[in-house]
Amino acid sequence: MFRKLIYRLYENYRNPSLKADFHFLIESDRWSLPQLQNYQISACRELLFFAAAYSPYYKQQFQKSGFSPETFHSLEDLKKLPITDKKTLTEHNKQLQAVYPFKKTIYSKTSGSTGEILSFYRDEAWESFHLASIFRGLSWYGISRWDKSAVLSGSDPGQKTQLKIQILDFIRNQFRLSSYNKRTTDKFIGHLNKAVSIQGYSSMIYELACMCNRKNNSSFPKLKLVKGTSDMIFDSYREEIKKAFGKPIISEYGAAETGIIAFECPEGNMHINMEGVIIEESDGEIIVTNLHSRSFPIIRYRLGDYIRLAPEGYKCPCGRQHPVLLELQGRVGGVICGKTNRFPSVILNFAFKEIMSKYNRIFSYQGIQKEKSRLTIRIAEAENPGDREIIKRVFEHYLKDDVILEILFSQDLRPTQGKRNYFISEI
Ligand SMILES: [Zn+2]
């Protein structure tokens, strides 16, 4: 009760729109698909009008291409606008930011796996809707936003000082692991019996699960949910995490600039957060429009992930009409250089998926390329008879004889911080 009160007071001060957003999302959770689509059209129209009026960059872009928000009546009309990417957002950063007297804006910074940093200001309504989307997802598992959560975060505290983080964690009723040594990790595991949820980078949750499994004496009576954010959840993680915590790891997909894109329901399907984003697919890549990004409009943004959507008309047993994202297939961008051809690095994920489905073997892996036409595949598991041949055979199908493979088993793949990259090129 006391924790709820503290949390509520803070929420009223920091995110005054959050409560109403959350109630709206709980209601729209049961909307029909046409209802959701109508909402998207009107929210997108408002965003376009706002961008045309207050974002100098979009004002100019719309004029240049002869586009008027007046002519926007269906989601198809969105295709008249150009696709943007992180480069555009960084290069035109200042002109993109809306010149409008928002009551409150919050500084936000994201760094992609390729290292570029994007910074911008989110207005209060934007941030609140983003948080409300996460809280709706948590509510599917019977979790309230003030319930105790265990957070695994990267070691970079960014703008905030250690003290500020501690105070915020207290208010939000969460405790955190951010430096990964034996003492801090043991202490964190000791507190986990109080946690209702565990949230963080999936690679870190996996490491934590391995440690708990080695200890073999931990119990988590209150735990309702384990949630992986930001990075891909490798198949090899799932078993270990389920074994450690007695719950499967579920996936939340999003980014600071796009907001929450999808959240996994208890039936195991990732539902698109239609009230927050419009999703398009172009050559397998996700294109996102963030419907609440007024202070820094994110319109038709190429986030840089390969995705696979469920076929139209697919119905999830949970009853939600929000379309389903079948699979997050990996980051776009990495290239494996062969003797004569170039291959997208995402084929590493395809190949290991095939190995799992055809041969029932699950590996934790990472590809490293140090020179052209050679690829080192590092595997965390110890070698079993036949493994090497299976991997070679499947990769041959994808890479032909253009790339010479070197396969190493029993490798330490733990990331030094944050996400684990499935492919690193040093060429
Ligand atoms: Zn569902």
Side-chain angles (χ1 to χ4, degrees):
M1 216 43 205
F2 172 66
R3 303 310 302 242
K4 182 177 166 183
L5 185 71
I6 293 182
Y7 172 84
R8 275 251 151 113
L9 285 171
Y10 175 74
E11 184 184 281
N12 285 344
Y13 156 74
R14 159 103 190 193
N15 296 103
S17 332
L18 200 156
K19 203 173 156 189
D21 287 342
F22 179 73
H23 288 303
F24 162 71
L25 284 168
I26 293 297
E27 197 191 308
S28 63
D29 207 22
R30 294 290 159 190
W31 276 1
S32 67
L33 191 59
Q35 258 178 311
L36 288 163
Q37 283 161 339
N38 283 337
Y39 170 83
Q40 285 191 316
I41 292 167
S42 73
C44 189
R45 214 175 133 84
E46 274 178 44
L47 174 71
L48 293 170
F49 269 108
F50 191 91
Y54 300 108
S55 163
Y57 174 79
Y58 272 109
K59 191 186 267 184
Q60 199 189 27
Q61 279 292 313
F62 290 175
Q63 274 166 5
K64 235 199 283 180
S65 57
F67 174 84
S68 160
E70 298 278 355
T71 63
F72 178 83
H73 298 292
S74 75
L75 297 181
E76 271 304 298
D77 291 335
L78 206 54
K79 296 202 162 62
K80 293 176 193 158
L81 291 166
I83 289 176
T84 58
D85 54 17
K86 196 170 247 177
K87 197 162 162 267
T88 317
L89 265 44
T90 332
E91 277 179 8
H92 304 280
N93 198 279
K94 254 204 140 78
Q95 297 81 35
L96 259 155
Q97 199 78 50
V99 184
Y100 181 84
F102 291 104
K103 268 201 186 131
K104 196 195 266 184
T105 54
I106 298 131
Y107 181 70
S108 200
K109 195 172 88 172
T110 101
S111 56
S113 53
T114 43
E116 328 110 285
I117 290 173
L118 168 69
S119 63
F120 52 97
Y121 288 89
R122 291 194 287 187
D123 58 273
E124 184 272 323
W126 172 352
E127 191 195 55
S128 293
F129 198 90
H130 173 84
L131 294 171
S133 302
I134 297 175
F135 294 143
R136 170 172 71 177
L138 293 180
S139 80
W140 297 345
Y141 296 85
I143 297 174
S144 301
R145 45 201 198 272
W146 44 80
D147 283 342
K148 196 166 210 57
S149 60
V151 178
L152 291 105
S153 63
S155 56
D156 172 27
Q159 292 271 306
K160 298 190 188 91
T161 62
Q162 206 57 40
L163 181 68
K164 204 168 166 190
I165 291 175
Q166 282 172 3
I167 294 171
L168 283 175
D169 280 347
F170 174 77
I171 293 169
R172 292 178 180 145
N173 199 11
Q174 58 191 26
F175 59 102
R176 176 183 301 269
L177 180 63
S178 55
S179 68
Y180 293 77
N181 56 54
K182 188 164 176 351
R183 192 182 60 81
T184 52
T185 312
D186 282 347
K187 197 174 150 204
F188 185 80
I189 293 175
H191 282 137
L192 279 181
N193 58 351
K194 297 190 201 111
V196 177
S197 65
I198 301 175
Q199 311 184 21
Y201 285 125
S202 59
S203 45
M204 290 177 173
I205 294 177
Y206 170 70
E207 294 304 333
L208 187 73
C210 294
M211 274 179 251
C212 289
N213 284 336
R214 278 199 294 271
K215 277 179 175 284
N216 214 4
N217 61 352
S218 329
S219 82
F220 313 103
K222 294 192 172 161
L223 194 67
K224 292 181 178 169
L225 172 82
V226 180
K227 184 186 84 179
T229 51
S230 310
D231 52 352
M232 262 180 66
I233 300 174
F234 291 87
D235 293 310
S236 58
Y237 292 171
R238 294 185 190 274
E239 208 173 317
E240 197 77 25
I241 291 171
K242 180 88 197 282
K243 194 174 147 204
F245 305 117
K247 302 270 174 215
I249 180 167
I250 69 111
S251 172
E252 170 195 292
Y253 175 42
E257 64 271 39
T258 61
I260 298 302
I261 296 170
F263 205 102
E264 187 171 329
C265 77
E267 297 289 341
N269 279 319
M270 291 184 71
H271 288 281
I272 309 264
N273 185 29
M274 283 182 80
E275 302 88 332
V277 290
I278 292 172
I279 296 303
E280 299 168 69
E281 193 207 302
S282 156
D283 296 328
E285 275 192 57
I286 189 167
I287 311 288
V288 189
T289 298
N290 178 342
L291 295 170
H292 302 273
S293 58
R294 296 206 173 180
S295 55
F296 190 75
I298 304 287
I299 299 168
R300 301 201 79 206
Y301 173 62
R302 192 189 293 275
L303 178 59
D305 287 321
Y306 284 115
I307 54 155
R308 200 153 62 89
L309 294 168
E312 226 171 281
Y314 173 83
K315 295 261 180 286
C316 178
C318 79
R320 287 180 187 86
Q321 302 287 303
H322 303 64
V324 165
L325 178 68
L326 275 186
E327 204 178 357
L328 188 54
Q329 296 175 310
R331 295 294 298 176
V332 176
V335 171
I336 301 169
C337 294
K339 238 181 303 176
T340 45
N341 294 304
R342 288 159 65 82
F343 307 90
S345 61
V346 71
I347 64 161
L348 271 161
N349 299 337
F350 295 155
F352 278 99
K353 271 248 175 304
E354 188 176 324
I355 291 168
M356 183 180 74
S357 60
K358 259 196 193 158
Y359 301 96
N360 204 18
R361 298 284 298 132
I362 300 177
F363 297 107
S364 302
Y365 54 90
Q366 182 177 58
I368 296 187
Q369 191 165 36
K370 292 186 173 154
E371 56 180 300
K372 206 180 149 185
S373 78
R374 281 179 179 276
L375 176 68
T376 304
I377 295 178
R378 302 177 65 222
I379 288 174
E381 288 75 13
E383 183 171 3
N384 276 326
D387 282 351
R388 200 172 285 271
E389 289 66 35
I390 290 173
I391 295 170
K392 280 217 157 124
R393 200 178 313 145
V394 172
F395 270 87
E396 224 160 68
H397 166 75
Y398 287 94
L399 301 171
K400 314 293 173 220
D401 51 2
D402 217 37
V403 178
I404 299 164
L405 279 194
E406 179 191 25
I407 304 169
L408 306 172
F409 288 89
S410 306
Q411 300 287 301
D412 183 359
L413 301 183
R414 277 173 296 182
T416 43
Q417 66 165 27
K419 302 177 192 189
R420 187 185 97 197
N421 287 330
Y422 69 87
F423 177 69
I424 296 169
S425 173
E426 293 175 2
I427 297 181

